[in-house]
């Protein structure tokens, strides 16, 4: 009889591997699928994200009965307070201690960059709701997905909407943090690509309450368009103060480079009427979008912003990929997400590119005049649908190192 004799150390290693593999596989198959919504609960981005984003993620989990193949789905939430160190500390604990599978929403670019780097070293998925287009550029990562919108698409679409003779000299007032820097950069590039120029730019601290000194500089610049690269409460404040300064006058246009529905609500139709904005989502884009938005309204008492709707869509797509692939291993799940078109209330025919960008149609909207509005959330009208390929950065121009050239 032939007897195979193995070295003792190899036998021990084999025994340990077998002993560990069995229980571990069982544990992995039974542990909860955890989605962590890291958001701004109380700061300037809270109405655009915050509790509404958490509720949107829960709505996605509800569609699966909070369970996939017998594994419970858990939705965790935390407030990053718009501080990268706080956001990173929370997500580090989620990944390392609480075994959270995916971080979602974020909606602050500086916080998002810190989280993407954490996820990169841990092979974890991040569903980015923040705006900087660098998430699909130099900061792209194999398991980072940029879902809702970005500064490139917003700036490009907004500039194209108003650029022309008498609207070719631009001055930019931007928030002085990662998102504002990217929106300013992408806005200037869009103006120059169309043959115009930036006559000046200035940056205001994030969370500024008084924009008067910045508006005065813009007023003295002889620009034909004064563009605001801001978000959240900053956009609301600067548009209201621009109206007080009578910044818009014959020959001068005031232009927010991005707007969410909550910001339009806070600004009011009287001050905002006529302004264009490229939106990633509007509840009237389809009957399915409106039905979902009304369910969301019943829970939150507000119509969903693009970020909140995008959080729902991204989490839902992730959970469907886990179900369809039969695993929660990040690389396999992302591969399934890329292979599956996005068809839901948020997007029709959306798809994931290799740089992490989810490409989908967007909507050029215009803020209604008060006389046009039929209710408290009847604030903008869709002027036209814009193909995602026409406003998101072309893959050929991306700085993402993951792209195969």
């Amino acid at each position: 009889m032939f007897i195979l004799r193995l070295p003792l150390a190899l036998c021990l290693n084999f025994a340990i591997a077998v002993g560990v593999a069995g229980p571990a596989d069982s544990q992995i198959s039974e542990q909860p699928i955890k989605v962590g919504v890291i958001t701004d609960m109380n700061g300037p981005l809270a109405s655009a994200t915050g509790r509404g984003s958490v509720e949107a993620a829960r709505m996605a989990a509800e569609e699966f009965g909070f369970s996939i193949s017998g594994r419970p789905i858990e939705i965790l939430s935390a407030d990053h307070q718009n501080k990268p160190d706080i956001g990173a500390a929370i997500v580090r604990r989620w990944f390392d201690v609480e075994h959270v599978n995916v971080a979602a929403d974020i909606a602050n670019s500086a916080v998002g960059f810190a989280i993407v780097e954490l996820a990169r070293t841990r092979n974890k998925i991040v569903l980015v709701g923040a705006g900087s287009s660098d998430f699909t550029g130099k900061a792209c990562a194999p398991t980072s997905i940029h879902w809702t919108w970005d500064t490139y698409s917003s700036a490009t679409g907004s500039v194209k909407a108003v650029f022309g003779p008498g609207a070719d000299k631009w001055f930019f007032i931007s928030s002085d943090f990662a998102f504002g820097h990217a929106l300013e950069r992408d806005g200037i590039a869009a103006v120059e690509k169309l043959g115009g120029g930036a006559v000046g730019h200035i940056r205001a601290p994030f969370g500024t309450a008084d924009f008067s000194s910045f508006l005065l500089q813009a007023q003295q610049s002889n620009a034909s368009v004064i563009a605001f690269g801001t978000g959240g409460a900053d956009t609301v404040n600067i548009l209201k103060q621009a109206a007080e300064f009578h910044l818009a006058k014959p020959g001068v246009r005031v232009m927010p480079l991005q707007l969410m529905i909550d910001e339009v609500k806070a600004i009011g139709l009287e001050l905002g009427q006529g302004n264009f904005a490229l939106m990633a989502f509007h509840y009237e884009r389809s009957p399915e979008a409106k039905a979902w938005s009304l369910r969301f309204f019943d829970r939150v008492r507000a119509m969903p912003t693009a970020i909140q709707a995008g959080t729902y869509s991204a989490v839902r797509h992730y959970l469907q990929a886990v179900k369809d692939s039969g695993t929660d291993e990040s690389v396999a799940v992302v591969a399934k997400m890329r292979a599956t078109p996005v068809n839901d209330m948020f997007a029709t025919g959306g798809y994931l590119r290799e740089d992490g960008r989810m490409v989908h149609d967007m909507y050029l909207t215009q803020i209604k005049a008060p006389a046009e509005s039929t209710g408290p959330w009847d604030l903008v009208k869709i002027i036209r649908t814009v193909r995602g390929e026409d406003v998101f950065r072309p893959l050929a121009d991306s700085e993402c190192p993951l792209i195969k050239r």
Side-chain angles (χ1 to χ4, degrees), residues 239 256 259 264 267-269 272-277 365-369 372 379-381:
L239 277 170
L259 271 178
V264 178
I267 293 163
L269 299 183
Q273 60 183 305
N275 269 302
F276 291 94
T365 67
Q366 186 177 31
I367 300 178
K368 291 185 174 183
E372 295 178 277
L379 303 171
V380 303
K381 53 190 173 185

Side-chain angles (χ1 to χ4, degrees), residues 177-197:
F177 74 126
F179 162 76
H181 298 176
L183 195 52
E184 173 191 285
R185 176 200 65 205
D186 293 338
I188 291 174
V191 169
E192 292 177 345
K193 190 173 182 178
L194 292 173

Side-chain angles (χ1 to χ4, degrees), residues 85 87-98 114 118 122:
D85 56 339
I90 291 168
V91 174
R92 185 181 294 109
R93 185 185 73 247
W94 277 355
F95 287 162
D96 296 349
V97 179
E98 301 184 43
L118 275 174
R122 290 160 173 80

